[in-house]
Amino acid sequence: MMQWETVIGLEVHVQLATKSKIFSGASTAFGAEPNSQACAVDLGLPGVLPVLNEAAVAMAVKFGLGINAEIPEVSVFDRKNYFYPDLPKGYQTSQMYHPIVGAGEVEISLDDGATKRIRVHHAHLEEDAGKSLHEDYHGMTGIDLNRAGTPLLEIVSEPDMRSAKEAAAYLKAIHAIVTYLGISDGNMAEGSMRCDVNVSVRPKGQEAFGTRAEVKNVNSFRFVERAIAYEVERQIELIEDGGTVVQETRLFDPEADETRSMRTKEEANDYRYFPCPDLLPVVLDRAYVDHLRSTLPELPAEKRARFEGELGLSAYDASVLASSRAMAEYFEAVKDACGDAKQAANWVQGELSGALNRESLSIEQSPVSAKQLGELITRVLDDTINGKAAKQVFQALWNGEGDSADAIIDAKGLKQVTDSGAIEAMIDQVIADSPVQVAQYRDAEPDKRGKMIGYFVGQVMKASRGTANPQQVNALLKEKLDQA
Amino acid sequence: MHDKTLTQLARALADGETSSRELTETLLGRIDRLDGRLNSFISVTHEQALAAADAADALRAKGQAGPLTGLPLALKDIFCTNGVKTSCGSKMLDNFIAPYDATVVEKLNAAGTVSLGKTNMDEFAMGSSNENSHYGPVKNPWDLNAVPGGSSGGSAAAVAAGLVPAAMGTDTGGSIRQPAAFCGITGLKPTYGRVSRYGIIAYASSLDQAGPMARSAEDCALLLGTIAGHDLRDSTSVARGVPDYTAELGESLSGLKIGLPKEYFGDGLAPEVEQAVREAIKVYESLGASVHEVSLPHTHYAIPAYYVIAPAEASSNLSRYDGVRFGHRCDAPSDLIDLYKRSRDEGFGEEVKRRILIGTHTLSEGFFDAYYTKAQQVRRLIRQDFIDAFEEVDVLMGPASPTPAFDLGANKDPVSMYLQDIYTIAVNLAGIPGISVPAGFAGQRPIGLQILGPHFAESQLLNVAHQFQQATDWHQRRPALAEESA
């Protein structure tokens, strides 16, 4: 059996979170009545001219700085010419030859905690097209131009990924960077991030790339993995059956979970790119770029390194907690409130994430605030409550049964009993009530006793309604049982 | 009234000799009576004009009139005009009522001028004779067998015939200056970027520029001061102060250095045109100017370079006319491709299709570098030619066109038509300003002298033209048709 290697490159389109469009003053808000947010410029009326939105430029440059890319002094807008009903001017204004962001790189983290650098070839600014609506028009097609002119940053990677998992990790890393930077809402369901995947295979060890297929319409983290898995299998089968892969554009169908040919290289459009004569070249002076650099927040890779290095978290924990800005901010707020990074990480990743997942909530929607969770952890750390009670307190906070951990602890009487006299009294009672078990314990070899003591601990905890300090219970029980 | 200049009419209005209402009614009456023979208007906006005239008179009564308040004029049908059909001379836009005003229109309205209507033009400004209009050719008021020039032929004919004292044109390769020359009026193409292109239906974006066409350089100065200036809606308009062009018209020409590009006096130049131009130069010498021969060595590459760049931009600019959102749509399309093909085939005229084809070809993969990239290199050399020449001289002079107005239907071959623009086209490629002033006749057909200056030297150009008009009366001649009481 031949060993195959997969080679993947991604083109990610990120909708920039500007208030108005890239070349007009119309709003970019999602979900408005069709064509209510398309002005004369977006409609491509005769005589209108584009005016570049400086906010889009600033966002693109921030992204470039965020991936340590070269920022060329001059970039130029070109026209990409083709006819389509939702493309009002008959061309898309894009950047073909002189993009705003040059070569850079993105660090991805893999499941085993390892990291890998993926090179970005460039990123360029362009305008989005409108939407063709095929339903509910009695055989006709409706055109909604609200989206026409929305600024997009197209981020083109080098073919540096070697598995579907790496591709998904790359997409997640891009998602994290743009949301950290606040330049996109990253909402994939609303199309704020869309992805085309270039896939090829080659025999392991071979240097030359195989012929690639471009798969379009891969618009979620999950679809990226599925589309690649399908495409890799298709290509390998094709070659092993004696066929050859043709260079073509394919469409991913998430319903059927397969890719289908859209057009071959021969059928490809000649877009007749040329510099847009209505727009001047964008010239960025150093001071402007330096100013933007000074506004950059700490980005995922730096955060991950700090969580690992300064806070002593595991590589895996650091990577998960740094994966989104919201997650990282929540974690840091919990950590600041309780003063213990490891405990904060355990709670956020354990109890909190579990609850969020069960109810399909995002961290932003968590009913338990970071401050509340931090206080709860503080009460564990200062021995006010034990771990078991802490879970009850968390559940109560989640259900909205109280405003703070302290209030719930009081209301439910979960304060841990550490008075050894009280604990001793409960132990004595349990020993008195369990003559059979005590006899068995005392007859057992010392190395078997460790397991048997669990029964007594359980009885004492039960008697204390969970509030006794388990370490104390354990120690005192051992002392008393071993005495005789 | 109808043969007065804008400046004279402004004075008459200020002195209360006439009202904007009276002036507007008089000229609308002339249009109704005479334009059937000229076809210089596509739309005459009687109602809006009279309403604007009354508003202007009311403003004057309140003592709030500006220098242009109440003055009538016309707009080439390439300027988007809110609520008015804006056809660009094309069947494609025969049904297009612009929903907004071009910046030029907005500025003219704000100044209180009164638009009488939209003038005829070559379809999408592609042509040098006005024979490419969907609305039929325009006749030259000096000789109804002759073309008025193009593409701003309607504007030029209307001004020459005394239908309006001034009109707005656009110039991509000579479309203001050549018709001005053919019709015996004064036409200025400003520096690229001097006047906003917003709302002007695009032909070739890197070359298009709007400018005034009138009966004197003084009138052009008045209008340029109104329409010029930076516009945030046009990124290619230049942020640079607008001088008072009228105030700078008094300068003496003593010591002025005039360059005569030797390439502008070569083969193909009609002898009567050359003679008129040389006579005009003598007038300048008598005014104290000195004359120097200069060279613009890349002149002969201007037409080929233009016919790569302009069609390339046009092929893209005209893609929006696809029958989907506005403009002509074919009947009962069978599918999307059929909709595109037939709408465009039916909506565009032959010359427009020719240029779309040329432009589509020159931008195609495998041809782009040979054509487009090379043409842009040539363009830089042509621009440098002018910059070098202006190191030596203040202005350049030569003919606006190699011949006087030719007969309707005389230039059937597109290439011979393209060669008409040999003296004007390089000016657009270089982005510099140029003005054509009346300088004589060949029989009854006028001849134009073209004067060129460095970027943003409109003040100087206008003064140089104005001084000539102080010393000669070519610009005061009127065609017989204009004098008919009709």
Side-chain angles (χ1 to χ4, degrees):
Chain A
M1 262 298 268
M2 170 102 64
Q3 290 278 305
W4 294 94
E5 182 175 52
T6 308
V7 176
I8 301 159
L10 260 58
E11 292 166 20
V12 183
H13 295 81
V14 175
Q15 226 173 60
L16 297 177
T18 55
K19 289 193 183 68
S20 59
K21 294 185 177 176
I22 184 167
F23 299 123
S24 85
S27 166
T28 54
F30 178 83
E33 277 294 299
N35 298 310
S36 63
Q37 291 179 172
C39 68
V41 173
D42 307 320
L43 293 171
L45 286 186
V48 297
L49 296 171
V51 175
L52 179 60
N53 182 346
E54 195 261 328
V57 171
M59 288 182 181
V61 171
K62 279 187 179 181
F63 175 78
L65 295 171
I67 61 163
N68 290 315
E70 177 201 338
I71 308 293
E73 196 184 341
V74 178
S75 64
V76 178
F77 284 97
D78 300 293
R79 291 186 183 175
K80 177 180 182 178
N81 295 283
Y82 65 98
F83 286 97
Y84 204 72
D86 58 25
L87 188 71
K89 300 186 296 293
Y91 57 82
Q92 178 194 31
T93 309
S94 181
Q95 296 186 309
M96 177 65 180
Y97 301 106
H98 302 283
I100 190 151
V101 173
E105 57 182 23
V106 171
E107 189 182 275
I108 62 169
S109 46
L110 305 170
D111 281 351
D112 59 3
T115 60
K116 177 174 173 177
R117 287 177 188 281
I118 306 297
R119 291 170 302 154
V120 169
H121 180 270
H122 77 269
H124 64 258
L125 279 169
E126 62 186 25
E127 59 182 338
D128 208 343
K131 272 182 189 162
S132 294
L133 310 167
H134 300 288
E135 282 90 29
D136 306 328
Y137 291 92
H138 313 286
M140 313 254 281
T141 297
I143 307 290
D144 178 7
L145 295 175
N146 281 353
R147 203 181 64 182
T150 299
L152 296 179
L153 185 67
E154 180 172 341
I155 304 157
V156 180
S157 84
E158 295 283 0
D160 283 356
M161 287 151 274
R162 295 289 172 267
S163 69
K165 286 228 177 302
E166 286 187 13
Y170 170 80
L171 193 60
K172 280 178 189 159
I174 295 286
H175 185 268
I177 292 170
V178 299
T179 50
Y180 262 79
L181 289 169
I183 63 173
S184 175
D185 64 18
N187 188 329
M188 296 188 86
E190 289 178 4
S192 298
M193 253 179 92
R194 306 193 289 270
C195 182
D196 299 337
V197 186
N198 285 295
V199 184
S200 65
V201 296
R202 63 181 171 192
K204 242 194 167 99
Q206 176 183 306
E207 207 164 308
F209 291 129
T211 305
R212 70 170 193 269
E214 181 180 5
V215 185
K216 290 199 175 281
N217 193 35
V218 192
N219 296 332
S220 81
F221 299 120
R222 212 152 37 91
F223 291 172
V224 167
E225 293 198 49
R226 279 164 46 185
I228 292 171
Y230 176 86
E231 189 54 26
V232 167
E233 198 176 330
R234 183 187 73 86
Q235 292 186 14
I236 292 174
E237 258 178 43
L238 192 62
I239 299 169
E240 289 185 342
D241 289 351
T244 48
V245 176
V246 292
Q247 191 174 331
E248 62 180 348
T249 305
R250 301 177 69 84
L251 191 72
F252 177 64
D253 177 353
E255 305 283 314
D257 213 0
E258 64 181 24
T259 69
R260 282 197 295 270
S261 183
M262 267 174 80
R263 55 174 180 261
T264 63
K265 194 185 174 191
E266 285 68 35
E267 298 164 319
N269 281 318
D270 177 356
Y271 291 119
R272 308 188 309 280
Y273 284 98
F274 76 107
C276 179
D278 288 330
L279 291 162
L280 302 175
V282 181
V283 180
L284 301 172
D285 65 54
R286 275 302 117 194
Y288 175 77
V289 174
D290 288 344
H291 163 72
L292 288 177
R293 197 190 310 273
S294 73
T295 68
L296 291 190
E298 187 183 37
L299 289 170
E302 299 162 86
K303 243 189 221 314
R304 195 156 56 225
R306 181 166 60 84
F307 287 175
E308 217 182 313
E310 265 176 49
L311 304 182
L313 302 187
S314 71
Y316 176 79
D317 284 356
S319 135
V320 172
L321 291 171
S323 66
S324 84
R325 185 176 183 160
M327 177 68 95
E329 278 172 0
Y330 189 101
F331 159 71
E332 295 220 65
V334 174
K335 177 209 76 182
D336 291 344
C338 74
D340 187 319
K342 280 188 183 159
Q343 284 299 323
N346 288 344
W347 274 89
V348 171
Q349 294 229 71
E351 211 62 22
L352 179 72
S353 291
L356 291 172
N357 285 344
R358 267 196 302 283
E359 301 197 14
S360 299
L361 296 176
S362 70
I363 187 90
E364 291 95 328
Q365 298 165 311
S366 169
V368 180
S369 72
K371 182 164 170 280
Q372 289 173 325
L373 183 55
E375 286 167 358
L376 167 58
I377 298 170
T378 305
R379 291 298 164 252
V380 178
L381 293 170
D382 67 11
D383 285 334
T384 305
I385 51 175
N386 62 43
K388 195 164 176 223
K391 287 186 181 173
Q392 290 180 54
V393 174
F394 178 85
Q395 199 53 51
L397 283 170
W398 183 272
N399 296 337
E401 290 168 32
D403 288 339
S404 68
D406 286 345
I408 291 166
I409 292 165
D410 280 351
K412 292 193 179 277
L414 296 174
K415 204 166 181 323
Q416 183 163 245
V417 177
T418 50
D419 170 359
S420 50
I423 294 174
E424 239 173 299
M426 286 188 275
I427 289 172
D428 291 343
Q429 190 61 49
V430 167
I431 288 175
D433 290 348
S434 317
V436 181
Q437 287 83 352
V438 171
Q440 282 173 349
Y441 179 92
R442 288 182 176 154
D443 287 346
E445 296 294 321
D447 61 324
K448 297 262 170 72
R449 289 178 176 178
K451 273 189 182 169
M452 301 175 77
I453 202 167
Y455 166 80
F456 301 99
V457 174
Q459 291 301 307
V460 177
M461 292 308 288
K462 200 173 163 187
S464 76
R465 293 184 352 274
T467 60
N469 180 315
Q471 285 83 33
Q472 264 177 300
V473 172
N474 224 307
L476 282 171
L477 260 173
K478 213 159 181 290
E479 204 175 298
K480 288 193 183 269
L481 288 169
D482 289 349
Q483 258 169 16
Chain B
M1 239 2 126
H2 66 266
D3 62 347
K4 296 218 170 359
T5 64
L6 212 55
T7 310
Q8 289 165 339
L9 290 173
R11 207 167 300 131
L13 284 170
D15 293 348
E17 284 170 30
T18 186
S19 66
S20 184
R21 173 92 194 185
E22 187 188 2
L23 205 48
T24 303
E25 280 180 343
T26 303
L27 295 178
L28 286 171
R30 283 181 64 81
I31 294 169
D32 293 342
R33 287 195 305 278
L34 293 174
D35 201 44
R37 286 146 76 185
L38 295 174
N39 196 28
S40 67
F41 278 84
I42 291 174
S43 305
V44 182
T45 50
H46 294 86
E47 275 177 43
Q48 291 101 318
L50 291 171
D54 288 343
D57 286 334
L59 214 57
R60 189 173 299 283
K62 284 193 278 180
Q64 291 168 1
L68 274 79
T69 302
L71 290 173
L73 43 70
L75 303 165
K76 187 179 183 178
D77 208 18
I78 200 169
F79 292 94
C80 282
T81 317
N82 196 3
V84 175
K85 177 166 112 173
T86 301
S87 74
C88 218
S90 181
K91 180 181 176 187
M92 183 59 89
L93 290 177
D94 184 54
N95 63 4
F96 180 64
I97 311 290
Y100 73 103
D101 279 327
T103 298
V104 166
V105 175
E106 213 175 73
K107 288 187 166 211
L108 288 169
N109 287 345
T113 65
V114 175
S115 169
L116 304 191
K118 310 293 290 290
T119 56
N120 205 341
M121 56 182 288
D122 282 303
E123 184 180 4
F124 283 102
M126 299 180 191
S128 310
S129 70
N130 221 307
E131 293 167 296
N132 297 335
S133 170
H134 170 62
Y135 301 92
V138 178
K139 312 282 171 58
N140 190 318
W142 291 91
D143 181 344
L144 296 177
N145 293 317
V147 302
S151 65
S152 310
S155 290
V159 173
L163 306 183
V164 278
M168 287 296 142
T170 61
D171 188 318
T172 306
S175 285
I176 286 174
R177 292 159 290 154
Q178 185 249 23
F182 280 14
C183 291
I185 64 165
T186 306
L188 171 73
K189 182 205 92 80
T191 306
Y192 184 80
R194 180 73 288 186
V195 177
S196 167
R197 293 186 296 112
Y198 186 78
I200 296 172
I201 297 180
Y203 158 26
S205 313
S206 74
L207 302 161
D208 297 341
Q209 185 64 196
M213 305 173 79
R215 297 196 180 119
S216 69
E218 195 177 17
D219 286 1
C220 287
L222 194 60
L223 288 170
L224 181 63
T226 304
I227 62 171
H230 186 220
D231 182 4
L232 293 174
R233 292 172 296 189
D234 174 5
S235 312
T236 64
S237 75
V238 175
R240 189 180 166 114
V242 178
D244 182 344
Y245 296 108
T246 306
E248 302 191 22
L249 291 179
E251 296 286 312
S252 155
L253 298 189
S254 175
L256 180 80
K257 288 185 182 171
I258 298 172
L260 302 184
K262 62 179 184 195
E263 293 82 3
Y264 284 26
F265 293 88
D267 289 346
L269 178 59
E272 62 268 38
V273 175
E274 174 161 10
Q275 199 193 336
V277 169
R278 297 222 183 260
E279 290 296 326
I281 308 290
K282 280 187 196 148
V283 172
Y284 276 106
E285 284 180 302
S286 75
L287 294 173
S290 60
V291 175
H292 311 264
E293 189 184 82
V294 296
S295 176
L296 301 169
H298 298 94
T299 296
H300 295 295
Y301 299 109
I303 287 181
Y306 176 90
Y307 278 99
V308 170
I309 294 167
E313 293 180 7
S315 71
S316 174
N317 284 335
L318 271 60
S319 294
R320 69 190 60 196
Y321 308 110
D322 57 4
V324 173
R325 294 163 312 284
F326 47 75
H328 177 73
R329 176 186 286 191
C330 67
D331 277 334
S334 60
D335 60 18
L336 182 62
I337 299 300
D338 186 47
L339 168 73
Y340 286 155
K341 281 187 174 166
R342 281 201 290 130
S343 298
R344 288 169 68 80
D345 186 41
E346 295 163 7
F348 289 139
E350 199 179 335
E351 182 60 27
V352 171
K353 284 183 213 168
R354 179 167 16 252
R355 294 194 196 187
I356 290 173
L357 278 174
I358 294 171
T360 303
H361 179 69
T362 55
L363 290 178
S364 297
E365 209 176 325
F367 297 98
F368 181 79
D369 285 337
Y371 288 114
Y372 186 85
T373 307
K374 187 62 82 182
Q376 291 292 5
Q377 289 166 351
V378 171
R379 181 179 188 167
R380 280 191 287 278
L381 294 173
I382 286 169
R383 182 187 157 92
Q384 195 57 47
D385 278 358
F386 283 106
I387 290 169
D388 293 346
F390 289 125
E391 295 281 311
E392 295 170 37
V393 296
D394 300 313
V395 293
L396 297 169
M397 288 191 191
S401 168
T403 65
F406 45 89
D407 287 348
L408 282 154
N411 269 317
K412 293 282 186 212
D413 168 43
V415 174
S416 70
M417 187 70 93
Y418 297 167
L419 292 172
Q420 280 298 316
D421 297 329
I422 176 94
Y423 305 132
T424 49
I425 231 164
V427 174
N428 298 78
L429 290 169
I432 59 171
I435 191 167
S436 176
V437 293
F441 286 87
Q444 51 184 337
R445 300 184 185 183
I447 291 168
L449 167 73
Q450 184 178 219
I451 313 168
L452 307 175
H455 292 98
F456 295 102
E458 282 85 357
S459 284
Q460 185 185 29
L461 269 193
L462 286 161
N463 181 50
V464 170
H466 178 66
Q467 295 306 319
F468 182 73
Q469 293 181 336
Q470 298 300 99
T472 60
D473 69 350
W474 300 117
H475 66 292
Q476 290 168 358
R477 307 287 178 90
R478 302 285 180 260
L481 180 137
E483 300 312 320
E484 283 178 26
S485 53

